[in-house]
Amino acid sequence: MTSKPLPALRTERITDENALPDRVRKGRGAVSNRLSGRFDAPDRYDTTDGWESEDYPDIERVQTILGIDAVRKIISYNDSPDVGSSRSINPYKGCEHGCIYCFARPTHAYLDLSPGLDFETRIFRKPDAPERLREELSHPKYRPAPLALGINTDAYQPIERSERLTRRLLEVLWEFRHPVHIVTKSALILRDLDILAPMAAANLFSATLSVTTLDRHIARVMEPRAATPMKRIETIRTLSAAGIRVNVLAAPLIPGLTCHELENILKAGAEAGAIRGGYIPVRLPHEIKLLFEDWLRLNFPDRADRVLNRIRALRGGKLNDPNFKTRMTGTGLEADLLKQRYELAVRRYGLDAPRTPLDSTQFRGGDPQMCLF
């Protein structure tokens, strides 16, 4: 990780004839920075000033640049009917995992940055997040309810190894006995078992591992810096062995590319110790639809049209359906068949355990020092 500017690659607004061609970058998901976003009229392209030919021959490597996102409050609230938690904490903006389908990519457009390579190479951390969390939980009017940690971008993305913001947030949540759920595709969550296991024993923590595919090649190009599929399954096994309630989420399922793996993903999760399953068909809002199509045509040109057409069949003829009632499941025959397969699989593999809500009654609010007496 570095805060230095890139020596051989820069982002400028230039004319089409000077733009570098879209292509795969080592360790990155997006194949371009072509899209500036909905709030910025000109397109952006990667370009070179010529120096790389002698001093920096590997222009394919794009380093991560860290920035600071100062916030006054860290807990975000929502009233979405299809989101499992009404409140969340996101210690990072942007995500190094580089998942090409990530629904959070368009948020970088609000920063006048591209949802493409910028989203996975320009990461903004919230260094004072634990302090802000402590202030909010200490407020006399705060009322606890289970919150999601890292719901927009993964709280255990690679930069967490050095920044440790997620761990510090968990320390505060454990101190206040506040319930929390984490959805991740990273094995880094195992680093914090010393906090998570006691929280789970007190019914204050549960986890979900997101598994998109068991095909290592597809995973490598689709989510290049996330844990390998088998590493995620082993993470489920380790969490379960530590007494943590863990779910397996087959998401997003991409028709024509990964949706045939639904049953195998759920079976692997169940055999590793997951107690509940879930699935979400891919959705491609805003800029993601163009980024995804660029990626698809470069990596899977033989099936690109078929994949896009099947996604449209799930989404009422479009690549995205923003309707709260259907965006997580899709509509039409394709969606109905996917739902039937899922329901049969969760029964077959015992992934239909009753939902057990996390406990909010243990919360130690107000002055945390009083908890010592």
Side-chain angles (χ1 to χ4, degrees):
M1 310 307 169
T2 179
S3 58
K4 297 187 295 183
L6 299 181
L9 188 67
R10 66 187 181 190
T11 300
E12 294 181 343
R13 294 172 183 166
I14 59 175
T15 58
D16 287 21
E17 58 267 23
N18 294 326
L20 291 176
D22 291 350
R23 58 193 176 192
V24 176
R25 266 81 172 176
K26 184 177 178 61
R28 299 298 177 181
V31 298
S32 74
N33 231 14
R34 182 165 57 84
L35 294 174
S36 297
R38 290 159 285 154
F39 310 104
D40 192 11
D43 281 346
R44 286 184 178 176
Y45 298 85
D46 292 332
T47 185
T48 172
D49 55 15
W51 289 98
E52 78 286 345
S53 59
E54 295 181 5
D55 298 324
Y56 305 101
D58 190 8
I59 196 173
E60 299 295 336
R61 296 181 181 272
V62 185
Q63 298 181 24
T64 299
I65 300 174
L66 293 180
I68 293 178
D69 180 21
V71 294
R72 289 183 294 178
K73 292 186 177 296
I74 191 63
I75 300 178
S76 300
Y77 295 86
N78 75 83
D79 56 2
S80 299
D82 57 357
V83 177
S85 178
S86 63
R87 59 192 72 184
S88 62
I89 297 175
N90 291 289
Y92 303 101
K93 286 183 178 178
C95 186
E96 284 187 293
H97 281 159
C99 306
I100 191 59
Y101 52 75
C102 182
F103 66 85
R105 283 184 178 272
T107 60
H108 252 45
Y110 290 98
L111 306 175
D112 194 22
L113 294 171
S114 169
L117 284 171
D118 279 346
F119 175 79
E120 51 194 279
T121 61
R122 299 287 297 274
I123 310 299
F124 295 86
R125 65 197 189 279
K126 302 175 183 179
D128 54 352
E131 289 73 26
R132 299 289 81 78
L133 177 61
R134 182 180 298 278
E135 291 174 1
E136 292 184 58
L137 298 186
S138 298
H139 196 282
K141 293 185 178 180
Y142 181 79
R143 296 295 178 266
L147 62 79
L149 180 52
I151 196 67
N152 202 38
T153 56
D154 203 313
Y156 283 108
Q157 61 176 288
I159 193 61
E160 168 62 18
R161 293 186 183 277
S162 59
E163 296 303 306
R164 300 174 69 85
L165 283 175
T166 297
R167 179 172 179 93
R168 290 169 58 203
L169 288 165
L170 286 171
E171 289 172 345
V172 175
L173 292 167
W174 177 223
E175 176 185 342
F176 280 78
R177 300 300 190 266
H178 195 292
V180 59
H181 182 83
I182 292 178
V183 180
T184 184
K185 51 172 63 74
S186 174
L188 184 56
I189 189 175
L190 299 180
R191 179 201 63 187
D192 296 333
L193 273 179
D194 59 316
I195 300 175
L196 300 178
M199 291 188 75
N203 194 25
L204 294 171
F205 175 72
S206 61
T208 295
L209 264 291
S210 171
V211 183
T212 53
T213 177
L214 298 178
D215 186 312
R216 191 182 179 102
H217 167 68
I218 294 178
R220 182 177 60 82
V221 297
M222 186 167 65
E223 38 197 24
R225 292 197 172 189
T228 64
M230 287 301 104
K231 189 69 173 177
R232 292 180 227 180
I233 298 300
E234 287 305 310
T235 299
I236 293 175
R237 193 181 311 279
T238 304
L239 290 171
S240 178
I244 294 171
R245 285 187 288 131
V246 57
N247 311 318
V248 58
L249 178 65
L253 290 174
I254 303 173
L257 189 63
T258 66
C259 69
H260 64 282
E261 298 186 71
L262 172 60
E263 290 84 357
N264 289 337
I265 291 171
L266 295 176
K267 180 182 179 182
E271 291 176 345
I275 62 171
R276 288 190 61 85
Y279 81 102
I280 303 174
V282 69
R283 55 191 183 95
L284 304 172
H286 304 302
E287 295 88 352
I288 304 177
K289 60 175 66 72
L290 295 178
L291 290 167
F292 183 85
E293 182 172 354
D294 286 347
W295 171 86
L296 188 62
R297 294 194 183 283
L298 277 174
N299 288 283
F300 302 96
D302 59 323
R303 66 184 90 174
D305 288 330
R306 178 161 56 94
V307 170
L308 293 171
N309 287 334
R310 288 187 62 183
I311 294 175
R312 292 186 182 98
L314 263 170
R315 301 295 181 185
K318 301 179 181 179
L319 292 176
N320 182 56
D321 172 16
N323 190 301
F324 282 131
K325 295 181 179 180
T326 56
R327 65 176 183 165
M328 297 298 189
T329 58
T331 58
L333 179 60
E334 183 100 33
D336 292 341
L337 292 174
L338 202 56
K339 181 181 178 182
Q340 292 174 22
R341 289 172 54 198
Y342 166 75
E343 292 174 345
L344 287 171
V346 295
R347 289 197 298 268
R348 180 184 305 152
Y349 302 124
L351 289 170
D352 52 357
R355 294 182 183 274
T356 304
L358 297 174
D359 186 6
S360 299
T361 65
Q362 303 176 51
F363 180 65
R364 300 176 179 179
D367 183 358
Q369 294 299 318
M370 294 300 294
C371 299
L372 301 177
F373 301 97

